[in-house]
């Protein structure tokens, strides 16, 4: 039985199904768990750690070698501030709110991002440089976009 969450979303907690505007949304069990948890805590800001504990639970393996991606990218943008400004770009950082840690060598990540930025900056026109992230079941994707040209760094998630 579907229970309305708001004017657009309904969920069936027993069959673990969801609908938006009457149309069924196909969700993985993890995606449904996240939706259900957030719906159970309306108007509450949930921390990443809380979501990991409550939704991922014991399935989530935390690696102490994980880097804090948000802090890393903020520093990376600051280190390239002059180059970005000289290209007439305004940086924007938009990371998935609850996924800001990944396991990868910080030096390898820095080299990859530097090479992507070096390739894109010479052709950049005034506009925006956007850093964004996306988490899928198979990988974590970090996207660097300069005026519509997107380069993606894909980090596989190990099961």
């Amino acid at each position: 039985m579907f229970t309305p969450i708001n004017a657009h979303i309904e969920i069936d907690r027993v069959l673990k199904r969801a609908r938006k505007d009457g149309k069924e949304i196909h969700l993985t069990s993890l995606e449904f768990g996240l939706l259900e948890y957030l719906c159970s805590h309306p108007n509450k800001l949930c921390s990443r750690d809380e979501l990991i504990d409550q939704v991922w639970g014991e399935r989530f393996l935390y690696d102490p070698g994980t880097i804090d991606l948000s802090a890393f990218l903020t520093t990376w943008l600051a280190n390239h501030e002059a180059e970005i400004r000289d290209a007439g770009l305004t940086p924007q950082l938009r990371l998935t709110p609850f996924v800001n840690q990944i396991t990868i060598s910080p030096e390898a990540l820095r080299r990859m991002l530097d090479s992507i930025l070096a390739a894109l900056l010479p052709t950049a026109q005034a506009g925006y440089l956007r850093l964004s992230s996306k988490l899928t079941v198979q990988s974590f994707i970090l996207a660097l976009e300069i005026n519509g040209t997107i380069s993606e760094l894909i980090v596989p998630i190990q099961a």
Side-chain angles (χ1 to χ4, degrees), residues 13-158:
R13 288 182 167 91
V14 176
L15 297 177
K16 299 194 181 301
R17 297 180 348 182
R19 291 192 300 212
K20 180 180 179 192
D21 296 326
K23 187 175 181 181
E24 184 128 3
I25 305 167
H26 298 285
L27 300 173
T28 66
S29 61
L30 184 59
E31 290 167 337
F32 183 84
L34 182 59
L35 176 64
E36 182 180 36
Y37 186 79
L38 292 172
C39 289
S40 299
H41 298 82
N43 303 315
K44 178 181 185 271
L45 180 63
C46 300
S47 71
R48 179 193 68 241
D49 290 340
E50 178 183 353
L51 293 173
I52 288 171
D53 289 345
Q54 299 299 317
V55 178
W56 274 259
E58 292 182 16
R59 294 177 290 166
F60 184 79
L61 301 174
Y62 178 77
D63 180 351
T66 301
I67 64 169
D68 181 337
L69 192 59
S70 181
F72 174 86
L73 290 175
T74 300
T75 302
W76 183 81
L77 282 172
N79 289 341
H80 291 283
E81 183 179 8
E83 296 165 81
I84 293 167
R85 185 185 58 245
D86 290 347
L89 298 170
T90 303
Q92 293 181 351
L93 180 62
R94 295 180 181 167
L95 295 178
T96 307
F98 64 95
V99 180
N100 67 4
Q101 293 184 338
I102 61 169
T103 302
I104 188 172
S105 160
E107 224 17 74
L109 181 59
R110 185 174 289 109
R111 282 193 313 272
M112 287 186 267
L113 287 173
D114 286 351
S115 66
I116 292 170
L117 187 63
L120 294 176
L121 276 181
T123 59
Q125 300 171 356
Y128 290 95
L129 176 145
R130 291 183 182 93
L131 281 165
S132 59
S133 67
K134 177 180 172 184
L135 179 69
T136 69
V137 175
Q138 294 86 16
S139 61
F140 176 82
I141 302 164
L142 180 63
L144 179 69
E145 176 185 352
I146 296 181
N147 296 329
T149 301
I150 300 174
S151 293
E152 291 183 336
L153 172 64
I154 300 173
V155 180
I157 295 175
Q158 298 175 359

